[in-house]
Amino acid sequence: MALSLDAELKKLLGEYRAALARAEGEQQIRKANADYVGAIRQAQKNALKSAPAAEKKQIGQLTNEIVREAEQLFERALAGLAEEARRRDLSRSVDVTLPARGRRLGHLHPITLARREIEEIFAQLGFVVAEGPQVETDFHNFEALAIPKDHPARDMQDTFYVDGGMLLRTHTSNGQIRVMEKRRPPLAVVCPGRCYRRDDLSVRASPMFTQIEGFMVDKRGRITMAHLKGVLTEFVRAFFGTTAVRFRSSYFPFTEPSAELDMHCLLCDGAGCPVCKHSGWTEVLGCGMIHPSVMRAVEYNPDEYQGFAFGMGVERTGLLKLGVDDMRLFFENDLRFLGQFPALSGGVR
């Protein structure tokens, strides 16, 4: 049996050697190796099935010798291929007098630039920056913000849920709750970060977006709606260069009273466009005085403390500042688009 197996294995090895000689390129070499080494091992299995126990050791030794020789042929074939490629590279002429290829320098994404400028403006107004987690608990994202499970406001935020009752935060207001849980007033904080909602049906929406939550809390009577209007009007002046703003009544479950801050549309100069819904005014952010329920959720006494909060989308503010009419362009990774915005204004004007 061992003699007949020896002849079969040597025949396969000879065919393998011929296949390597015919192979063109690494892919064909590797295919030939897989085919013939597999055939050698199969021949070994077939021989072992009918061989007496005394011959099995001999069959194994014989097969292993042939496989080792096949591996040496395979390595030599790959080495020859690499040497041939090296010779081709060395044979090419290079004109060393040609100018070197320049390196293209990148820059920060326009949304990152917008976020940093917004943070800088609020830092000059006395706010500090804090960040919260993107994967959040239901309590910090909804319950503590006066949005219980049966509250209709949950329908306004189509949420991505993950395992264990966790979710991808729908706003950066979770940062407000986490800061207020750990610190006592006075507080003036902005919380930037990524948020997630199932919303990509309009030019002003994306399932992933960046938001900045801001809030200020102090003893009751020290923080009023007048302070809120003053801070936000100054922000619009510093970031957009205009004070043409209006505050209109709105509703948020976590503020009372609540308002929307609108700005005269910079894209159409008030003539009407898809971004401003042809009204001439563009919504910049939502704001209001922090609801007593939110105060109680973080164990603040609403009879002792008072404050305001606001939230804005960085993409929306960047869209208005940069004159872009579709927020989704920021996330399509088209360098022809992104390369147009190497910098914003660079701080407070």
Side-chain angles (χ1 to χ4, degrees):
M1 175 61 71
L3 292 176
S4 61
L5 176 63
D6 181 49
E8 182 179 0
L9 293 181
K10 288 182 177 179
K11 177 184 177 185
L12 288 171
L13 188 63
E15 293 175 356
Y16 177 47
R17 189 179 284 107
L20 290 178
R22 295 192 303 269
E24 298 179 358
E26 182 178 350
Q27 184 175 356
Q28 291 187 15
I29 290 174
R30 292 188 179 277
K31 184 178 185 308
N33 179 68
D35 290 344
Y36 282 96
V37 172
I40 290 169
R41 289 300 186 187
Q42 186 60 48
Q44 178 191 21
K45 290 180 183 179
N46 294 338
L48 289 173
K49 288 179 183 179
S50 58
E55 292 187 9
K56 289 187 176 182
K57 182 178 179 181
Q58 184 181 2
I59 290 173
Q61 292 174 341
L62 179 62
T63 307
N64 289 338
E65 289 176 5
I66 297 295
V67 169
R68 279 195 294 271
E69 191 172 347
E71 289 175 349
Q72 291 172 1
L73 291 172
F74 175 64
E75 291 172 2
R76 283 199 293 269
L78 289 181
L81 200 64
E83 178 63 22
E84 183 181 347
R86 190 181 72 85
R87 284 198 300 270
R88 283 199 304 269
D89 289 340
L90 292 175
S91 66
R92 291 186 299 190
S93 60
V94 177
D95 187 350
V96 296
T97 64
L98 289 173
R101 291 187 181 134
R103 280 188 171 184
R104 294 182 60 188
L105 295 178
H107 60 78
L108 293 174
H109 192 279
I111 297 305
T112 302
L113 294 170
R115 169 180 160 172
R116 289 189 176 184
E117 184 172 344
I118 293 170
E119 291 175 4
E120 180 184 347
I121 292 170
F122 282 109
Q124 295 185 41
L125 293 173
F127 288 75
V128 297
V129 178
E131 295 193 20
Q134 297 184 35
V135 180
E136 190 54 282
T137 65
D138 188 88
F139 172 78
H140 290 93
N141 194 84
F142 289 124
E143 295 279 349
L145 291 162
I147 312 176
K149 287 183 169 55
D150 58 349
H151 199 287
R154 292 215 184 192
D155 297 336
M156 299 162 56
Q157 302 182 23
D158 202 349
T159 308
F160 292 100
Y161 286 92
V162 295
D163 293 339
M166 304 291 283
L167 53 90
L168 299 184
R169 67 179 178 188
T170 59
H171 44 213
T172 50
S173 302
N174 70 317
Q176 173 189 338
I177 298 301
R178 289 189 173 272
V179 170
M180 292 171 68
E181 282 181 327
K182 297 176 182 177
R183 306 180 196 172
R184 308 303 293 178
L187 295 171
V189 182
V190 289
C191 304
R194 294 284 176 83
C195 305
Y196 306 87
R197 298 181 191 175
R198 295 186 61 192
D199 186 2
D200 58 355
L201 301 178
S202 74
V203 298
R204 301 195 306 169
S206 168
M208 178 199 69
F209 57 97
T210 312
Q211 196 178 72
I212 291 185
E213 174 85 6
F215 64 97
M216 184 178 284
V217 182
D218 205 338
K219 293 286 187 180
R220 192 165 188 84
R222 294 183 182 177
I223 303 293
T224 67
M225 195 74 176
H227 295 98
L228 167 64
K229 294 178 70 174
V231 166
L232 295 182
T233 301
E234 174 59 19
F235 162 73
V236 173
R237 183 204 66 78
F239 191 73
F240 295 106
T242 180
T243 55
V245 299
R246 69 180 185 184
F247 289 82
R248 55 184 171 84
S249 298
S250 186
Y251 165 77
F252 302 105
F254 32 80
T255 54
E256 180 60 39
S258 303
E260 299 277 2
L261 169 61
D262 296 339
M263 178 186 70
H264 192 69
C265 184
L266 301 179
L267 296 180
C268 64
D269 196 25
C273 66
V275 172
C276 67
K277 299 180 180 178
H278 303 282
S279 68
W281 291 88
T282 304
E283 174 190 331
V284 178
L285 55 85
C287 57
M289 303 302 292
I290 299 175
H291 198 286
S293 297
V294 177
M295 293 289 193
R296 285 190 284 268
V298 294
E299 300 183 356
Y300 282 16
N301 184 353
D303 296 327
E304 182 180 358
Y305 296 109
Q306 188 175 15
F308 65 75
F310 58 87
M312 71 182 76
V314 178
E315 286 82 6
R316 180 174 295 180
T317 53
L319 177 146
L320 297 172
K321 186 179 182 75
L322 298 173
V324 179
D325 58 3
D326 190 335
M327 193 171 85
R328 292 168 293 191
L329 292 171
F330 288 127
F331 302 115
E332 292 179 351
N333 298 324
D334 189 335
L335 293 180
R336 295 170 300 176
F337 171 77
L338 298 176
Q340 299 176 63
F341 312 110
L344 298 181
S345 64
V348 177
R349 292 184 292 275

